[in-house]
Amino acid sequence: MTHQFDTENSLVDRARGLRDLVREQAATSERERTLSPEIVEAMWASGLMTAFNAQAAGGVEPTFTEMIETWIEMAWQDGSFGWIGIANLPSSFAASAYLSDAGFAEVFTANGNRVTMGGQFFPNGQGVAVDGGYRLTGSWSFGSGTGHAQYVAAGFFPMVDGEMQWISEGVPDMRVAVVPRADVAFNDGWHVQGLKGTGSYDYAVTDVFVPHDRTFALFTREPKRGNSAAMRMGMMPVTAAGHAAWALGVAQSMLDDVAELAETKFRMSDMASLASRPTFQKGLAHHVAAWRAARLLVLDAFTTAEAVVGGGGELTPTLRADMRVAAVFATDTARSCAEWAHLVAGTSSIREGSRLERAFRDIYTGTQHAFISEKVAIDAAQVWLGIVEDQFGL
């Protein structure tokens, strides 16, 4: 009962072509706690690694539908593989679109566009303003995809004479530095319950010079290159779409796997297969329907905003709130589906190394992320209710 996508999507096909390899390498990635070199190389060979980039950096500038369906496919294959999809691909997407021409030439052109990027965009560092750039110091956790990244993203607050800078009342200036791997000190620290294969290392930078040209504003919606509406919507919608799609993909894998298992699964003292039990049938119907509804909500929210921006309209606070709430709802729904699948699978879901067991660990790790937390839903509801005009973090 694997979901059949409604649209022809060459990016989904690129990801789908890696299914056998990802399944074969999943245990290796978990054991090494970072994506296996074989999968990384296959992402390059398939064109998947650069696909989300601006065309000038080897990308195809996909629509939100294409991005979401590709991420769902990747997460369906394996949670860690899917997480790499929402870490590496948006990171290079942003750098390829928002770096200045000089920064783009240094990072992308000089490397033949073979650039993998990961890291943490939240401003956990400070950049002391100096001639030509910043002296960057800080430490960041959960640097997803940094296990194989040539460049590392590091969010920071620019500091002038010891003072933070403000772009408007209550909104500090926040920027992202693109730092060569050689300038970064890694503290592995990635010993976790799930998403073990993502190489989400802790890292630090100490008094490293970063030129202005290798930084960009965290909330910018003004691409230096690229023509897609997504690039004119900024990093927040792309990140939200990634989290929603990832959760949907992992949950879908569990629903598919438990449906297949049910045909041959007999519980102790039960002469009927799991698939023949009305309670299982009702539960499956309910959770598959909930999953489909959540997916449609995500597609609707993101493509609606995309159409407005693509037509020259404004990305309003309400549109941004709609997208963020859709991502939170999809995550909550996916977690509920995963919990049900784990429960009805019985002891089959606790066998170490099985897809069900790994997916369950992954979804309960990935859905802890602050980007799809309760606070996000509250912030969005306050916009809907008119309590505040805007929440800049949405």
Side-chain angles (χ1 to χ4, degrees):
M1 59 169 288
T2 298
H3 177 69
Q4 296 299 312
F5 296 106
D6 298 326
T7 57
E8 290 295 322
N9 190 326
S10 62
L11 296 189
V12 173
D13 290 339
R14 293 183 196 185
R16 188 178 288 119
L18 303 183
R19 281 187 173 187
D20 290 343
L21 177 64
V22 170
R23 181 186 288 269
E24 173 191 310
Q25 293 288 316
T28 299
S29 295
E30 284 226 326
R31 184 171 59 253
E32 296 180 356
R33 290 176 297 110
T34 190
L35 203 63
S36 77
E38 290 82 357
I39 298 177
V40 173
E41 183 55 39
M43 291 178 70
W44 279 109
S46 68
L48 189 59
M49 192 70 88
T50 57
F52 286 31
N53 290 359
Q55 289 185 14
V60 300
E61 300 181 18
T63 65
F64 268 106
T65 297
E66 291 171 324
M67 288 190 281
I68 289 165
E69 300 290 31
T70 300
W71 282 322
I72 289 175
E73 167 63 26
M74 294 177 72
W76 180 90
Q77 293 180 34
D78 176 64
S80 289
F81 180 52
W83 198 264
I84 288 298
I86 70 169
N88 287 151
L89 306 190
S91 295
S92 59
F93 159 97
S96 73
Y98 304 128
L99 282 175
S100 70
D101 288 344
F104 180 85
E106 178 185 353
V107 174
F108 287 93
T109 307
N111 292 294
N113 292 333
R114 191 178 173 92
V115 176
T116 311
M117 195 174 303
Q120 174 61 261
F121 283 59
F122 192 80
N124 281 341
Q126 293 187 349
V128 177
V130 296
D131 287 345
Y134 304 93
R135 303 296 307 188
L136 179 65
T137 298
S139 59
W140 296 260
S141 299
F142 308 118
S144 298
T146 56
H148 53 269
Q150 290 93 347
Y151 284 89
V152 177
F156 70 98
F157 292 109
M159 307 292 289
V160 178
D161 296 328
E163 299 288 337
M164 290 177 58
Q165 304 301 292
W166 302 86
I167 58 177
S168 62
E169 184 176 353
V171 181
D173 188 11
M174 292 175 274
R175 300 190 68 79
V176 178
V178 177
V179 185
R181 188 180 189 87
D183 291 339
V184 177
F186 289 94
N187 171 22
D188 181 349
W190 192 236
H191 299 273
V192 286
Q193 176 188 27
L195 294 178
K196 292 184 177 183
T198 59
S200 299
Y201 303 144
D202 298 344
Y203 59 97
V205 173
T206 304
D207 196 33
V208 169
F209 176 72
V210 181
H212 284 297
D213 289 323
R214 269 201 278 111
T215 73
F216 58 88
L218 175 59
F219 290 106
T220 184
R221 298 177 203 152
E222 299 177 0
K224 307 296 184 184
R225 60 202 61 80
N227 297 310
S228 74
M231 289 176 170
R232 300 198 301 278
M233 293 167 68
M235 274 298 293
M236 298 304 107
V238 173
T239 303
H243 278 281
W246 177 84
L248 288 169
V250 177
Q252 183 196 6
S253 79
M254 295 187 70
L255 291 173
D256 285 350
D257 286 359
V258 82
E260 181 180 350
L261 172 69
E263 297 176 7
T264 57
K265 175 76 174 179
F266 291 82
R267 303 299 291 270
M268 187 176 294
S269 302
D270 194 342
M271 298 302 292
S273 69
L274 184 60
S276 68
R277 294 170 59 188
T279 52
F280 174 80
Q281 295 164 2
K282 179 181 181 296
L284 182 67
H286 171 81
H287 288 92
V288 169
W291 184 94
R292 291 177 180 175
R295 171 182 169 271
L296 290 174
L297 174 65
V298 169
L299 290 171
D300 177 71
F302 285 88
T303 59
T304 295
E306 182 180 39
V308 170
V309 173
E314 178 188 357
L315 186 63
T316 64
T318 298
L319 287 172
R320 287 164 32 228
D322 290 350
M323 289 185 286
R324 295 299 296 274
V325 167
V328 172
F329 179 80
T331 299
D332 290 346
T333 301
R335 186 169 49 233
S336 177
C337 291
E339 183 179 48
W340 175 82
H342 182 267
L343 180 64
V344 297
T347 55
S348 298
S349 64
I350 67 171
R351 300 292 182 183
E352 188 173 359
S354 71
R355 271 171 52 91
L356 274 169
E357 182 265 345
R358 186 168 61 247
F360 187 72
R361 286 189 287 104
D362 288 344
I363 204 159
Y364 269 89
T365 299
T367 57
Q368 296 283 9
H369 201 286
F371 208 83
I372 31 77
S373 68
E374 179 185 62
K375 182 182 183 303
V376 175
I378 293 169
D379 287 348
Q382 289 179 352
V383 171
W384 287 346
L385 291 167
I387 295 173
V388 297
E389 290 185 6
D390 196 1
Q391 294 278 11
F392 76 88
L394 290 177

